[in-house]
Amino acid sequence: MAVSNRKAKGKRDDVYSLLCEVPKGKVTTYAELARAACTHPRAVAVFMKTNKHPDAIPCFRVVNSDGSVGGYSGTGGVKRKISLLEENGIAAKNGRVDLKKHMHSF
DNA sequence: CCACTGACATGAG
DNA sequence: GCTCATGCCAGTG
């Protein structure tokens, strides 16, 4: 049972595609991304951590459903993520973004 | 090539 | 604020 779903790796590509379609200046949540990809938020976290294309995958645009930035495997950690968000016009104060202003729904 | 365990940046209660 | 439950991925034998 623990390995019965290994063939369903197509979900990962869906998450990446959806994330790439998020416009600049907007962010999405793990729950929303997972929902759009028909998967679970837990899986999305693994996708970002195990992603082989950080250059093509703006994981910094993904935040928690609470608006908290969460984490970042890229350079600088969450600090780098917050900086990138601000570069996109998103105010990430105290590691939090305004979802009601930047939350992107699929 | 097939099978199993460990690890994860969440969500909900 | 903490704990439990759930899904997907990567590595090893």
Side-chain angles (χ1 to χ4, degrees), chain A residues 88-103:
Chain A
N88 278 253
I90 300 164
K93 302 302 184 184
N94 198 11
R96 292 229 168 178
V97 301
D98 218 325
L99 288 180
K100 53 179 150 58
K101 287 184 184 178
H102 307 293
M103 189 194 190

Side-chain angles (χ1 to χ4, degrees), chain A residues 20-41:
Chain A
C20 274
E21 100 177 59
V22 176
K24 176 172 172 270
K26 299 265 261 188
V27 295
T28 186
T29 63
Y30 285 97
E32 205 61 22
L33 196 59
R35 189 182 274 289
C38 207
T39 187
H40 284 239

Side-chain angles (χ1 to χ4, degrees), chain A residues 74-94:
Chain A
T75 311
V78 298
K79 291 179 178 240
R80 177 66 172 163
K81 182 169 178 175
I82 292 168
S83 296
L84 289 165
L85 289 170
E86 292 186 331
E87 289 290 301
N88 278 253
I90 300 164
K93 302 302 184 184
N94 198 11

Side-chain angles (χ1 to χ4, degrees), chain A residues 31-96:
Chain A
E32 205 61 22
L33 196 59
R35 189 182 274 289
C38 207
T39 187
H40 284 239
R42 269 298 208 132
V44 179
V46 178
F47 296 155
M48 299 303 147
K49 198 192 83 69
T50 65
N51 78 63
K52 306 291 201 313
H53 305 287
D55 298 301
I57 301 167
C59 38
F60 67 89
R61 283 189 193 159
V62 189
V63 298
N64 298 344
S65 52
D66 240 359
S68 32
V69 176
Y72 187 60
S73 344
T75 311
V78 298
K79 291 179 178 240
R80 177 66 172 163
K81 182 169 178 175
I82 292 168
S83 296
L84 289 165
L85 289 170
E86 292 186 331
E87 289 290 301
N88 278 253
I90 300 164
K93 302 302 184 184
N94 198 11
R96 292 229 168 178

